[in-house]
Amino acid sequence: MTSAPPAVSPNQSAISVRGLTKRFGTQTVLDGLDLEVRAGSIYALLGPNGAGKTTTVQILSTLLAPDAGQAFVAGHDVGRNPDGVRATIGVTGQYSAVDGLLTGAENLQLMADLHRLGRRESRARVHELLDRFDLVAAAGQRARDYSGGVRRRLDLAMSLVGRPRVVFLDEPTTGLDPRSRRAMWQVIVELAGDGVTILLTTQYLEEADQLADRIAVLDCGRLVAEGTADELKRLVPGGHIALRFTDHSGLDAASRVVAGTTRDHDALTLQVPSDGSVRALRGLLADLDERDIAIADLSIHTPDLDDVFFALTGTEHAPTTNLEVDAQ
């Protein structure tokens, strides 16, 4: 009976990468990449096509050898102990590994056999995963007849047969409809809740924003920014508070009180640069109230990950920004 690989301590890094470099001919795909992924977290690699996301996953999952640098997964050196890494990870690639001629149950049983699970354990594991991924009704159908969302759920279930502690998801929701994408997000969150470390690559900005504890933005094989979604959004200027007034006298009075504003005379609005924090909003309203300047309404506008993406990628020499926060 095969036991699960030992779990990584929450105080350890599940994935640690230093100076990772990979070239294909004259093209440098990864250029000295550094990453640190905490155990039990969801970590997203975000970037345009060709940024190096898939190459990073392929190296960390032992499918490619780096040209330089070191990488450790669950404490195992990717270069020196690939078998140790493989015993600890699960991988769901961009393209499904599902055999369309087999049923869903048979695909899972095949993975159980490859993991050399005993008959009783493999039967229990297959039933557990069919139930967890809502595949019971489709278990006896050939996978080629599955919808994209069901096929993707089966693909992920297959990568979990060996009870991995680290799972790599390479663009796991590409091509799925919004409902199937949301269902996959829920599965990913539940896995992390069980203590599994998730590293996912994505081009969906909303996906990184919704799921990831931390996000690394890659461009041209380099890490150009790293932090939480909120930290990354604060890197980009453009946040403001929009104030609307009932008449021009209020607009004029506020313009004299608040510096650096942009006014729209016709719409009776004033745009005040701000990070959107409660402190900034409270201070602004206190200044206006102190001078008896009434506003009709207000709205807060902060940059989103779209703004971050366009500001930090697509440039030849984008600066690297690493936002560190204290571990709680």
Side-chain angles (χ1 to χ4, degrees):
M1 192 167 174
T2 304
S3 60
V8 180
S9 166
N11 296 321
Q12 295 178 334
S13 293
I15 301 170
S16 184
V17 172
R18 291 289 177 271
L20 207 61
T21 301
K22 183 65 182 178
R23 301 180 185 88
F24 294 105
T26 59
Q27 183 182 7
T28 300
V29 180
L30 291 178
D31 191 5
L33 181 65
D34 294 339
L35 293 177
E36 205 76 33
V37 180
R38 295 174 184 169
S41 67
I42 301 176
Y43 194 96
L45 297 182
L46 182 65
N49 287 331
K53 305 185 301 297
T54 295
T55 300
T56 301
V57 168
Q58 290 176 334
I59 290 174
L60 294 177
S61 57
T62 75
L63 296 176
L64 275 179
D67 295 322
Q70 274 192 310
F72 293 85
V73 176
H76 302 290
D77 189 311
V78 170
R80 296 182 178 180
N81 187 13
D83 288 341
V85 173
R86 292 168 193 151
T88 312
I89 66 172
V91 182
T92 298
Q94 288 186 21
Y95 304 103
S96 175
V98 170
D99 188 327
L101 296 178
L102 299 180
T103 67
E106 288 169 343
N107 270 283
L108 288 170
Q109 184 60 55
L110 175 62
M111 293 305 297
D113 293 342
L114 291 173
H115 280 280
R116 299 181 180 179
L117 302 185
R119 180 178 297 179
R120 180 179 299 176
E121 184 183 3
S122 66
R123 187 183 300 116
R125 187 63 174 152
V126 167
H127 285 301
E128 177 188 348
L129 290 169
L130 287 172
D131 182 61
R132 179 170 188 174
F133 285 83
D134 195 20
L135 294 168
V136 174
Q141 299 174 19
R142 288 189 178 185
R144 67 184 181 188
D145 298 324
Y146 286 1
S147 68
V150 175
R151 191 181 182 93
R152 203 56 170 153
R153 291 206 309 274
L154 174 61
D155 199 19
L156 179 53
M158 290 169 62
S159 72
L160 299 177
V161 168
R163 301 184 189 276
R165 301 309 305 167
V166 178
V167 174
F168 298 106
L169 303 177
D170 194 7
E171 301 193 11
T173 63
T174 296
L176 298 186
D177 62 77
R179 186 182 299 277
S180 297
R181 182 174 299 133
R182 293 278 178 175
M184 183 64 75
W185 288 0
Q186 183 60 39
V187 169
I188 292 170
V189 169
E190 289 173 357
L191 284 174
D194 290 341
V196 177
T197 303
I198 308 288
L199 186 145
L200 67 91
T201 74
T202 184
Q203 295 185 62
Y204 293 118
L205 305 175
E206 183 189 7
E207 185 160 275
D209 202 354
Q210 289 284 333
L211 296 178
D213 298 301
R214 294 184 75 79
I215 300 168
V217 183
L218 303 187
D219 191 38
C220 300
R222 302 172 185 171
L223 179 69
V224 295
E226 196 268 352
T228 67
D230 287 340
E231 288 170 341
L232 292 176
K233 291 170 188 176
R234 287 197 291 269
L235 290 176
V236 180
H240 64 272
I241 299 171
L243 305 174
R244 188 173 65 83
F245 300 87
T246 56
D247 53 43
H248 288 101
S249 62
L251 176 65
D252 294 338
S255 299
R256 291 191 294 268
V257 170
V258 186
T261 60
T262 302
R263 59 184 288 166
D264 185 326
H265 188 79
D266 295 330
L268 295 175
T269 60
L270 199 64
Q271 193 176 107
V272 183
S274 172
D275 61 4
S277 66
V278 172
R279 177 180 295 181
L281 178 59
R282 185 182 294 125
L284 174 62
L285 295 179
D287 286 344
L288 296 175
D289 186 59
E290 190 175 308
R291 294 165 175 81
D292 292 323
I293 302 173
I295 60 173
D297 58 49
L298 64 84
S299 57
I300 300 173
H301 302 262
T302 56
D304 56 22
L305 281 184
D306 291 66
D307 300 310
V308 174
F309 187 89
F310 289 117
L312 297 180
T313 64
T315 56
E316 187 69 23
H317 301 289
T320 300
T321 305
N322 192 333
L323 299 167
E324 293 294 339
V325 294
D326 295 332
Q328 298 298 319

